[in-house]
Amino acid sequence: MGITDERHPPIRPRRVTFDWTGTPLHWIPGAPVASHLINYFQILLTTGEKWFVQCVQDAAPYIADPVLRAEIKGFVGQETVHSRSHQGVLDDLLARDGIDTRPIIDGALGGLAERAALMARLAEDPRRFRRRLLFELGAISAIEHYTAVLGQWIIDNDRLDACGADPTMLDLFRWHGAEEIEHRSVVFDVYRALGGGYALRCLTWAVAVALLVQTLVAGTFDLLRRDPSVTRRVTVRRVYRSYRRSVRAGHIFGLGSLLMEGRVYLRPFHHPSHVCSTEVALEYLRRSPAAKAAGYA
């Protein structure tokens, strides 16, 4: 992917809506494993993006650059809408088909409340507060790299359309991915503005990726076992074979590829503007069905 010059209109939230009435639970046809891998990713997004917002808002008072402060405001708005949109999938699609994700969400929200309380206590010791905040920003910066790369991948990927994947779900992820590309530099720039260096960037990348992969794998198995339409026994061998078929077909991004993408993020002089294309993102946002329906296209 080519280097962009990062010129884009001001980052702004687009308050779009989606109707899940006609979307099947296995929205990638014949691929329950691939569908639930991405469904569990949506569970992570609903609360994970609330965490992103907390961290960036905690960092905002330390940012003097007016351009970056404006981008933080746009980032917070976009991530808030993203979280709400994926929550709609959980409430209107997964719950409809007998999968209750409320205990997972409630547990994660409890963790966010504990984090907020911890940061309030650490605020009495500015050095410890800043050290903790930098670690979290480093981890989020790594995750934001992947959400941008995955956003570009799904915008460019016509194999999902060809296999009959649900168009509403594709629009959700392409709209979301386009906005991830649009704001891909914000957290990285906040991290650097607060003094984040290369060694910590490497450490936080490793922690973030390890936890993300572990949680996605465990969560996918959990959804499959709770899916009433999956009648065959959920075994590691069956799940892995189905997962590999979907990766080869280009219907999901392989977890191994996520690890290899680390070679890009961990380059010493890496900057998010070196990956993905802002123009591709904006072009999709001009034709997104949800964005057009909401009057943004």
Side-chain angles (χ1 to χ4, degrees), residues 212-268:
L212 181 62
V213 171
Q214 179 186 18
T215 305
L216 278 175
V217 170
T220 301
F221 274 89
D222 178 52
L223 290 184
L224 287 166
R225 289 179 177 129
R226 293 197 286 139
D227 183 343
S229 68
V230 175
T231 55
R232 298 184 71 185
R233 186 163 169 259
V234 178
T235 66
V236 172
R237 183 179 181 183
R238 284 175 179 158
V239 170
Y240 181 72
R241 289 174 66 181
S242 179
Y243 157 78
R244 288 303 307 165
R245 283 196 298 271
S246 293
V247 171
R248 287 194 297 270
H251 299 160
I252 54 174
F253 199 91
L255 296 179
S257 298
L258 291 179
L259 294 175
M260 296 300 290
E261 184 63 31
R263 295 182 301 178
V264 175
Y265 181 74
L266 295 178
R267 290 170 182 160

Coordinates of all heavy atoms in Angstrom, one line a residue, residues 212-268:
L212 N -5.1 -9.8 21.8 CA -6.2 -9.8 20.8 C -6.4 -11.2 20.1 O -7.5 -11.6 20.0 CB -5.8 -8.8 19.7 CG -6.8 -8.6 18.5 CD1 -8.1 -8.1 19.1 CD2 -6.2 -7.6 17.5
V213 N -5.3 -11.8 19.8 CA -5.4 -13.1 19.1 C -6.0 -14.1 20.1 O -6.9 -14.9 19.8 CB -4.0 -13.6 18.6 CG1 -4.1 -15.1 18.1 CG2 -3.6 -12.7 17.4
Q214 N -5.5 -14.2 21.3 CA -6.0 -15.1 22.3 C -7.5 -14.9 22.6 O -8.3 -15.9 22.6 CB -5.2 -14.9 23.6 CG -5.7 -15.8 24.8 CD -5.0 -15.5 26.1 OE1 -4.4 -14.4 26.3 NE2 -5.0 -16.4 27.0
T215 N -7.9 -13.6 22.7 CA -9.3 -13.4 23.0 C -10.2 -13.7 21.8 O -11.3 -14.2 22.0 CB -9.5 -11.9 23.3 OG1 -8.6 -11.5 24.4 CG2 -10.9 -11.6 23.7
L216 N -9.7 -13.4 20.6 CA -10.5 -13.7 19.4 C -10.7 -15.2 19.2 O -11.8 -15.7 18.9 CB -9.9 -13.2 18.1 CG -10.1 -11.7 17.8 CD1 -9.3 -11.3 16.6 CD2 -11.6 -11.5 17.5
V217 N -9.7 -16.0 19.5 CA -9.8 -17.5 19.3 C -10.8 -18.0 20.4 O -11.7 -18.8 20.1 CB -8.4 -18.1 19.5 CG1 -8.6 -19.7 19.6 CG2 -7.5 -17.8 18.3
A218 N -10.6 -17.6 21.6 CA -11.4 -18.1 22.7 C -12.9 -17.7 22.5 O -13.8 -18.4 22.7 CB -10.9 -17.6 24.0
G219 N -13.1 -16.4 22.0 CA -14.4 -15.9 21.8 C -15.1 -16.6 20.7 O -16.3 -16.8 20.7
T220 N -14.4 -16.9 19.6 CA -15.0 -17.6 18.5 C -15.5 -19.0 18.9 O -16.7 -19.3 18.6 CB -14.0 -17.8 17.3 OG1 -13.5 -16.5 16.9 CG2 -14.6 -18.4 16.1
F221 N -14.7 -19.7 19.7 CA -15.2 -21.0 20.2 C -16.4 -20.8 21.0 O -17.4 -21.6 21.0 CB -14.1 -21.7 20.9 CG -13.1 -22.5 20.1 CD1 -12.0 -21.9 19.5 CD2 -13.4 -23.8 19.8 CE1 -11.2 -22.7 18.7 CE2 -12.5 -24.6 19.0 CZ -11.4 -24.0 18.5
D222 N -16.4 -19.8 21.9 CA -17.6 -19.5 22.7 C -18.8 -19.3 22.0 O -19.9 -19.9 22.2 CB -17.3 -18.3 23.7 CG -18.4 -18.0 24.6 OD1 -18.9 -18.9 25.3 OD2 -18.8 -16.8 24.6
L223 N -18.8 -18.4 20.9 CA -20.0 -18.2 20.1 C -20.4 -19.4 19.4 O -21.6 -19.7 19.3 CB -19.7 -17.0 19.1 CG -19.5 -15.6 19.7 CD1 -19.4 -14.6 18.6 CD2 -20.7 -15.2 20.6
L224 N -19.5 -20.2 18.8 CA -19.9 -21.4 18.1 C -20.6 -22.4 19.0 O -21.6 -23.0 18.7 CB -18.6 -22.1 17.5 CG -18.0 -21.4 16.3 CD1 -16.6 -21.9 16.0 CD2 -18.9 -21.6 15.1
R225 N -20.1 -22.5 20.3 CA -20.7 -23.5 21.2 C -22.1 -23.0 21.7 O -22.9 -23.8 22.1 CB -19.8 -23.7 22.4 CG -18.6 -24.5 22.0 CD -17.6 -24.7 23.2 NE -16.5 -25.5 22.8 CZ -15.2 -25.2 23.0 NH1 -14.9 -24.0 23.7 NH2 -14.2 -26.0 22.7
R226 N -22.3 -21.7 21.6 CA -23.6 -21.2 22.1 C -24.6 -20.9 20.9 O -25.7 -20.5 21.1 CB -23.4 -19.9 22.9 CG -22.7 -20.1 24.2 CD -22.9 -18.9 25.1 NE -22.1 -17.8 24.7 CZ -22.5 -16.5 24.8 NH1 -23.7 -16.2 25.1 NH2 -21.7 -15.5 24.5
D227 N -24.1 -21.2 19.7 CA -25.0 -21.0 18.5 C -25.9 -22.2 18.4 O -25.5 -23.3 18.1 CB -24.1 -20.9 17.3 CG -24.8 -20.6 16.0 OD1 -26.1 -20.8 16.0 OD2 -24.2 -20.2 15.0
P228 N -27.2 -22.0 18.5 CA -28.1 -23.1 18.5 C -28.2 -23.8 17.1 O -28.6 -24.9 17.0 CB -29.5 -22.5 18.8 CG -29.4 -21.0 18.6 CD -27.9 -20.7 18.8
S229 N -27.8 -23.1 16.0 CA -27.8 -23.7 14.7 C -26.6 -24.5 14.4 O -26.6 -25.2 13.3 CB -28.0 -22.6 13.6 OG -26.8 -21.8 13.6
V230 N -25.6 -24.5 15.2 CA -24.4 -25.3 15.0 C -24.6 -26.6 15.8 O -24.6 -26.7 17.0 CB -23.1 -24.6 15.6 CG1 -21.9 -25.6 15.4 CG2 -22.8 -23.4 14.8
T231 N -24.9 -27.7 15.0 CA -25.3 -28.9 15.6 C -24.2 -29.9 15.8 O -24.2 -30.8 16.6 CB -26.5 -29.6 14.8 OG1 -26.0 -29.7 13.4 CG2 -27.7 -28.7 14.8
R232 N -23.1 -29.8 15.0 CA -22.0 -30.7 15.1 C -21.1 -30.2 16.3 O -21.1 -29.1 16.6 CB -21.2 -30.7 13.8 CG -21.9 -31.2 12.6 CD -21.0 -31.2 11.4 NE -20.0 -32.3 11.5 CZ -19.1 -32.5 10.6 NH1 -18.9 -31.7 9.6 NH2 -18.2 -33.5 10.8
R233 N -20.4 -31.2 16.8 CA -19.5 -30.9 18.0 C -18.5 -29.9 17.5 O -17.8 -30.1 16.5 CB -18.9 -32.2 18.5 CG -18.1 -32.0 19.8 CD -17.9 -33.4 20.4 NE -16.9 -33.3 21.5 CZ -15.6 -33.6 21.4 NH1 -15.2 -34.2 20.2 NH2 -14.8 -33.5 22.4
V234 N -18.2 -28.9 18.4 CA -17.2 -27.9 18.1 C -15.9 -28.4 18.6 O -15.6 -28.4 19.8 CB -17.6 -26.5 18.8 CG1 -16.5 -25.5 18.5 CG2 -19.0 -26.0 18.3
T235 N -15.0 -28.8 17.6 CA -13.7 -29.3 18.0 C -12.6 -28.4 17.4 O -12.9 -27.6 16.4 CB -13.5 -30.7 17.5 OG1 -13.5 -30.7 16.0 CG2 -14.6 -31.7 18.0
V236 N -11.5 -28.4 17.9 CA -10.4 -27.6 17.4 C -10.1 -27.9 16.0 O -9.9 -27.0 15.1 CB -9.1 -27.8 18.3 CG1 -7.9 -27.1 17.7 CG2 -9.3 -27.3 19.7
R237 N -10.1 -29.2 15.6 CA -9.8 -29.6 14.3 C -10.8 -29.1 13.3 O -10.4 -28.5 12.2 CB -9.7 -31.1 14.2 CG -9.3 -31.6 12.8 CD -9.2 -33.1 12.7 NE -8.9 -33.6 11.4 CZ -8.8 -34.9 11.1 NH1 -9.0 -35.8 12.0 NH2 -8.4 -35.2 9.8
R238 N -12.1 -29.2 13.6 CA -13.1 -28.7 12.7 C -13.1 -27.2 12.5 O -13.2 -26.7 11.4 CB -14.5 -29.2 13.2 CG -14.8 -30.7 12.9 CD -16.1 -31.0 13.6 NE -16.4 -32.4 13.3 CZ -17.3 -33.2 14.0 NH1 -17.9 -32.6 15.1 NH2 -17.5 -34.4 13.7
V239 N -12.9 -26.5 13.7 CA -12.9 -25.1 13.6 C -11.7 -24.6 12.8 O -11.8 -23.7 12.0 CB -12.8 -24.5 15.0 CG1 -12.5 -23.0 15.0 CG2 -14.2 -24.8 15.7
Y240 N -10.5 -25.2 13.0 CA -9.3 -24.8 12.3 C -9.4 -25.0 10.8 O -9.1 -24.2 10.0 CB -8.1 -25.5 12.8 CG -6.8 -25.1 12.2 CD1 -6.2 -23.9 12.4 CD2 -6.2 -25.9 11.2 CE1 -5.1 -23.4 11.8 CE2 -5.0 -25.5 10.6 CZ -4.5 -24.3 10.9 OH -3.3 -23.9 10.2
R241 N -10.0 -26.2 10.4 CA -10.1 -26.5 9.0 C -11.1 -25.5 8.3 O -10.8 -25.0 7.2 CB -10.6 -27.9 8.8 CG -9.6 -29.0 9.1 CD -10.1 -30.4 9.1 NE -10.5 -30.8 7.7 CZ -11.0 -31.9 7.4 NH1 -11.3 -32.8 8.4 NH2 -11.3 -32.2 6.2
S242 N -12.2 -25.2 9.0 CA -13.1 -24.2 8.4 C -12.5 -22.8 8.4 O -12.7 -22.1 7.4 CB -14.4 -24.1 9.3 OG -15.3 -23.2 8.8
Y243 N -11.7 -22.5 9.4 CA -11.0 -21.2 9.4 C -10.1 -21.1 8.2 O -10.0 -20.1 7.5 CB -10.3 -21.0 10.7 CG -9.1 -20.1 10.7 CD1 -9.3 -18.7 10.8 CD2 -7.8 -20.6 10.7 CE1 -8.2 -17.8 10.8 CE2 -6.7 -19.7 10.7 CZ -6.9 -18.4 10.8 OH -5.9 -17.5 10.8
R244 N -9.3 -22.1 8.0 CA -8.3 -22.1 6.9 C -9.0 -22.0 5.6 O -8.5 -21.4 4.7 CB -7.4 -23.4 7.0 CG -6.4 -23.5 8.1 CD -5.5 -22.3 8.1 NE -4.8 -22.1 6.8 CZ -4.2 -21.0 6.4 NH1 -4.1 -19.9 7.3 NH2 -3.6 -20.9 5.3
R245 N -10.1 -22.7 5.4 CA -10.8 -22.6 4.1 C -11.3 -21.2 3.9 O -11.2 -20.7 2.7 CB -12.1 -23.5 4.1 CG -11.8 -25.0 3.9 CD -13.0 -25.8 3.6 NE -14.0 -25.7 4.6 CZ -14.1 -26.6 5.6 NH1 -13.2 -27.6 5.7 NH2 -15.1 -26.5 6.5
S246 N -11.7 -20.5 4.9 CA -12.2 -19.1 4.7 C -11.0 -18.2 4.5 O -11.1 -17.2 3.7 CB -12.9 -18.6 6.0 OG -14.1 -19.4 6.1
V247 N -9.9 -18.4 5.1 CA -8.7 -17.6 4.8 C -8.3 -17.8 3.3 O -8.0 -16.8 2.6 CB -7.5 -18.0 5.8 CG1 -6.2 -17.3 5.3 CG2 -7.9 -17.5 7.2
R248 N -8.2 -19.0 2.9 CA -7.8 -19.3 1.5 C -8.8 -18.7 0.5 O -8.4 -18.2 -0.6 CB -7.7 -20.8 1.3 CG -6.5 -21.5 1.9 CD -6.2 -22.9 1.4 NE -7.3 -23.8 1.7 CZ -7.4 -24.5 2.8 NH1 -6.5 -24.5 3.7 NH2 -8.4 -25.3 3.0
A249 N -10.0 -18.7 0.9 CA -11.0 -18.1 0.0 C -11.0 -16.6 0.0 O -11.7 -15.9 -0.8 CB -12.4 -18.6 0.3
G250 N -10.3 -16.0 0.9 CA -10.2 -14.5 1.0 C -11.4 -13.9 1.7 O -11.7 -12.7 1.6
H251 N -12.1 -14.7 2.6 CA -13.3 -14.2 3.2 C -13.0 -13.7 4.6 O -13.8 -12.9 5.2 CB -14.3 -15.4 3.4 CG -14.8 -15.9 2.0 ND1 -15.4 -17.1 1.9 CD2 -14.7 -15.3 0.8 CE1 -15.7 -17.3 0.6 NE2 -15.3 -16.2 -0.1
I252 N -11.8 -14.0 5.2 CA -11.4 -13.4 6.4 C -9.9 -13.2 6.3 O -9.2 -13.9 5.5 CB -11.7 -14.3 7.7 CG1 -11.2 -15.7 7.6 CG2 -13.2 -14.3 8.0 CD1 -11.3 -16.5 8.8
F253 N -9.4 -12.3 7.2 CA -8.0 -12.0 7.2 C -7.3 -13.0 8.2 O -7.7 -13.1 9.3 CB -7.8 -10.6 7.7 CG -6.5 -9.9 7.4 CD1 -6.3 -9.2 6.2 CD2 -5.4 -10.0 8.3 CE1 -5.1 -8.6 6.0 CE2 -4.2 -9.4 8.1 CZ -4.0 -8.7 6.9
G254 N -6.3 -13.7 7.8 CA -5.7 -14.7 8.6 C -5.0 -14.1 9.8 O -4.3 -13.1 9.7
L255 N -5.1 -14.8 11.0 CA -4.4 -14.3 12.2 C -2.9 -14.3 12.0 O -2.2 -13.4 12.6 CB -4.8 -15.2 13.4 CG -6.3 -15.2 13.7 CD1 -6.6 -16.1 14.9 CD2 -6.8 -13.7 14.1
G256 N -2.4 -15.2 11.2 CA -1.0 -15.2 11.0 C -0.5 -14.0 10.2 O 0.5 -13.4 10.4
S257 N -1.4 -13.5 9.3 CA -1.1 -12.3 8.6 C -1.1 -11.1 9.5 O -0.3 -10.1 9.2 CB -2.2 -12.1 7.5 OG -2.1 -13.2 6.5
L258 N -1.9 -11.1 10.5 CA -1.9 -10.0 11.5 C -0.5 -10.0 12.2 O 0.1 -8.9 12.4 CB -2.9 -10.2 12.6 CG -4.4 -10.1 12.1 CD1 -5.3 -10.3 13.3 CD2 -4.6 -8.7 11.6
L259 N 0.1 -11.1 12.5 CA 1.4 -11.1 13.1 C 2.4 -10.6 12.1 O 3.3 -9.8 12.5 CB 1.8 -12.5 13.5 CG 0.9 -13.1 14.7 CD1 1.3 -14.6 14.9 CD2 1.1 -12.3 16.0
M260 N 2.4 -11.0 10.9 CA 3.3 -10.6 9.9 C 3.2 -9.0 9.6 O 4.2 -8.4 9.3 CB 3.1 -11.3 8.5 CG 3.4 -12.8 8.6 SD 5.1 -13.2 9.2 CE 6.0 -12.7 7.7
E261 N 2.0 -8.5 9.8 CA 1.8 -7.1 9.6 C 2.6 -6.3 10.6 O 2.9 -5.1 10.4 CB 0.3 -6.8 9.7 CG -0.1 -5.3 9.4 CD 0.3 -4.8 8.0 OE1 0.2 -5.7 7.1 OE2 0.6 -3.7 7.8
G262 N 3.0 -6.9 11.7 CA 3.8 -6.3 12.7 C 5.1 -5.8 12.2 O 5.7 -4.8 12.7
R263 N 5.6 -6.4 11.1 CA 6.9 -5.9 10.5 C 6.8 -4.5 10.0 O 7.7 -3.8 10.0 CB 7.3 -6.9 9.4 CG 7.7 -8.3 9.9 CD 8.1 -9.1 8.7 NE 7.1 -9.2 7.7 CZ 7.2 -9.9 6.5 NH1 8.3 -10.5 6.2 NH2 6.2 -9.9 5.6
V264 N 5.6 -4.2 9.6 CA 5.3 -2.8 9.1 C 5.2 -1.8 10.3 O 5.9 -0.8 10.3 CB 4.0 -2.7 8.3 CG1 3.7 -1.3 7.9 CG2 4.1 -3.6 7.0
Y265 N 4.4 -2.2 11.3 CA 4.2 -1.3 12.4 C 5.5 -1.1 13.2 O 5.7 0.0 13.8 CB 3.1 -1.9 13.3 CG 2.8 -1.0 14.5 CD1 2.1 0.2 14.3 CD2 3.2 -1.3 15.8 CE1 1.8 1.0 15.4 CE2 3.0 -0.5 16.9 CZ 2.3 0.6 16.7 OH 2.0 1.4 17.8
L266 N 6.3 -2.1 13.3 CA 7.5 -2.0 14.1 C 8.8 -1.4 13.4 O 9.9 -1.4 14.0 CB 7.9 -3.4 14.6 CG 6.8 -4.0 15.6 CD1 7.2 -5.4 16.0 CD2 6.6 -3.1 16.8
R267 N 8.6 -0.9 12.2 CA 9.7 -0.2 11.6 C 10.0 1.0 12.4 O 9.1 1.7 12.8 CB 9.3 0.2 10.1 CG 9.2 -1.0 9.2 CD 8.6 -0.5 7.8 NE 8.5 -1.6 6.9 CZ 7.7 -1.6 5.9 NH1 6.9 -0.5 5.6 NH2 7.6 -2.6 5.0
P268 N 11.3 1.3 12.7 CA 11.7 2.4 13.5 C 11.1 3.7 13.1 O 10.7 4.5 14.0 CB 13.2 2.4 13.5 CG 13.6 1.0 13.2 CD 12.5 0.5 12.3

